């Protein structure tokens, strides 16, 4: 599995040739209990990944989740309990927390965006601006927060962007080449930056028209121009401060790279609560 490869690389990165501190304090016979707690309010994500981290370190560790991915967790709440070899808990600690903290940060931001857009009937989706090699985890976290995924990779759907248009010569030429090559079943999305380009995309019979880096006022004009003849997606520069204004323009979809490319991690900590030897 892709996730297993990512976790294994992360463990190799952190453990290197071993844990020089823990290996020289504890023996494999030392056992302990530990808990992971939220140090701030958050939407939890990454529990299955954390379980796999600890089980790759030591399959005999007892992993007891007290919360599930997607749960709203308050500061101070315990989200999971661990029991087993002290060495194994300490060796998996940082890697498990790194995954959980990033994924919970994405899930928390996604929940805020989705909740803000819900009254307007606008769908919030992510982009491909994800951490390299961690896209599946980033996009899973978006779903846990209540938003949805845009394409996972370049092979998932047709999106004709500015550089495609520049290289092909025009929107019409790029769309024509796609239709000639792939047939009638896939939907075709075209990126536009001006109202004139929106008109060109409509004339080319694009299924989805992306409004790239338009202001909320420009987006509202474009939505009126499209008038239901295509799905309208707003993208580019969307953040929490302007999200409501873009929602008021009444597009069908708003995509935001901010959900994954610069979201702050949420704070969780692991504490040993009892030594069992």
């Amino acid at each position: 599995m892709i996730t297993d490869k990512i976790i294994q690389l992360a463990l190799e990165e952190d453990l290197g040739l071993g844990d020089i501190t823990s290996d020289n304090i504890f023996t494999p016979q030392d056992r302990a209990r530990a808990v992971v707690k939220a140090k701030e309010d958050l939407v939890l994500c990454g529990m299955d990944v954390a379980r796999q981290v600890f089980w790759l370190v030591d399959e005999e560790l007892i992993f007891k989740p007290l919360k599930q991915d997607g749960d709203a967790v308050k500061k101070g709440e315990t989200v999971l309990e661990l029991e087993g070899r002290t060495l194994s808990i300490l060796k998996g600690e940082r890697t498990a927390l790194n995954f959980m903290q990033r994924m919970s940060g994405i899930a928390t931001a996604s929940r805020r965006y989705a909740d803000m857009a819900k009254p307007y009937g606008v769908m919030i989706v992510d982009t491909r601006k994800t951490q390299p090699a961690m896209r599946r985890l980033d996009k899973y976290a978006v779903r846990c927060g209540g938003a949805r995924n845009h394409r996972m990779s370049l092979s998932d759907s047709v999106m004709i962007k500015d550089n495609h248009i520049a290289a092909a010569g025009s929107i019409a030429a790029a769309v024509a080449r796609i239709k000639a090559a792939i047939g009638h079943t896939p939907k075709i999305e075209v990126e536009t930056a001006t109202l004139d380009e929106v008109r060109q995309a409509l004339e080319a019979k694009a299924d989805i028209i992306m409004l790239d880096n338009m202001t909320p006022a420009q987006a509202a004009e474009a939505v009126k121009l499209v008038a239901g003849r295509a799905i309208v997606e707003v993208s580019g520069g969307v953040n929490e401060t302007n999200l409501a204004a873009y929602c008021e323009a009444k597009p069908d979809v708003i995509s935001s790279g901010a959900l994954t490319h610069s979201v702050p991690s949420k704070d969780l900590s692991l504490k040993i609560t009892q030594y069992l030897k």
Side-chain angles (χ1 to χ4, degrees):
M1 291 176 59
I2 292 175
T3 303
D4 286 349
K5 292 179 182 178
I6 294 169
I7 293 170
Q8 193 63 56
L9 285 172
L11 284 169
E12 290 173 6
E13 176 183 62
D14 200 40
L15 285 173
L17 298 177
D19 179 349
I20 192 171
T21 307
S22 301
D23 286 338
N24 288 285
I25 297 176
F26 303 105
T27 72
Q29 285 69 49
D30 289 302
R31 296 176 64 82
R33 291 194 179 101
V35 297
V36 172
K37 291 189 175 186
K39 297 181 71 176
E40 59 182 312
D41 293 351
L42 52 84
V43 175
L44 184 64
C45 191
M47 292 290 279
D48 287 343
V49 178
R51 178 191 287 111
Q52 191 65 5
V53 168
F54 285 113
W55 283 356
L56 281 174
V57 172
D58 181 353
E59 62 183 10
E60 294 182 359
L61 273 177
I62 298 170
F63 184 100
K64 182 181 177 182
L66 303 180
K67 301 287 184 179
Q68 296 180 341
D69 285 354
D71 284 351
V73 176
K74 294 293 185 182
K75 178 180 178 180
E77 285 192 271
T78 300
V79 302
L80 69 89
E81 297 174 347
L82 290 163
E83 181 179 329
R85 294 182 181 89
T86 306
L87 280 170
S88 302
I89 293 173
L90 294 173
K91 289 181 178 182
E93 173 186 1
R94 176 44 50 200
T95 299
L97 288 177
N98 282 349
F99 280 116
M100 291 179 70
Q101 289 179 156
R102 174 173 172 79
M103 294 174 74
S104 294
I106 293 171
T108 303
S110 298
R111 179 70 52 84
R112 289 198 304 271
Y113 276 60
D115 286 349
M116 289 175 66
K118 187 175 181 179
Y120 300 93
V122 176
M123 183 191 303
I124 299 295
V125 302
D126 54 24
T127 70
R128 284 168 43 248
K129 295 177 181 178
T130 54
Q131 195 80 351
M134 286 188 59
R135 183 169 296 162
R136 289 182 182 276
L137 299 183
D138 284 359
K139 284 181 172 281
Y140 168 73
V142 167
R143 297 196 303 274
C144 283
R148 300 188 190 181
N149 297 148
H150 210 302
R151 57 181 179 164
M152 183 69 70
S153 68
L154 292 171
S155 62
D156 283 346
S157 61
V158 175
M159 184 184 291
I160 300 173
K161 296 175 69 66
D162 55 349
N163 286 326
H164 298 111
I165 295 165
S170 68
I171 288 174
V175 172
R177 291 186 188 184
I178 281 286
K179 288 185 174 180
I182 65 172
H184 68 286
T185 53
K187 288 185 177 180
I188 296 172
E189 180 166 4
V190 175
E191 179 181 282
T192 63
T194 66
L195 289 178
D196 182 59
E197 289 181 348
V198 171
R199 293 187 185 93
Q200 293 177 45
L202 285 169
E203 290 172 3
K205 297 188 176 352
D207 301 291
I208 307 165
I209 298 177
M210 178 196 288
L211 312 179
D212 185 47
N213 282 300
M214 291 190 184
T215 66
Q218 291 170 330
E221 284 188 60
V223 169
K224 290 179 182 177
L225 177 61
V226 174
R229 290 177 285 174
I231 295 169
V232 178
E233 175 187 338
V234 164
S235 190
V238 179
N239 54 53
E240 288 187 65
T241 61
N242 59 27
L243 179 59
Y246 279 112
C247 286
E248 289 171 358
K250 299 182 179 179
D252 301 288
V253 181
I254 294 177
S255 58
S256 177
L259 296 178
T260 55
H261 69 55
S262 56
V263 67
S265 294
K266 287 298 178 180
D267 199 1
L268 296 116
S269 67
L270 183 150
K271 296 294 182 185
I272 300 288
T273 57
Q274 186 178 2
Y275 297 96
L276 299 178
K277 182 178 177 181

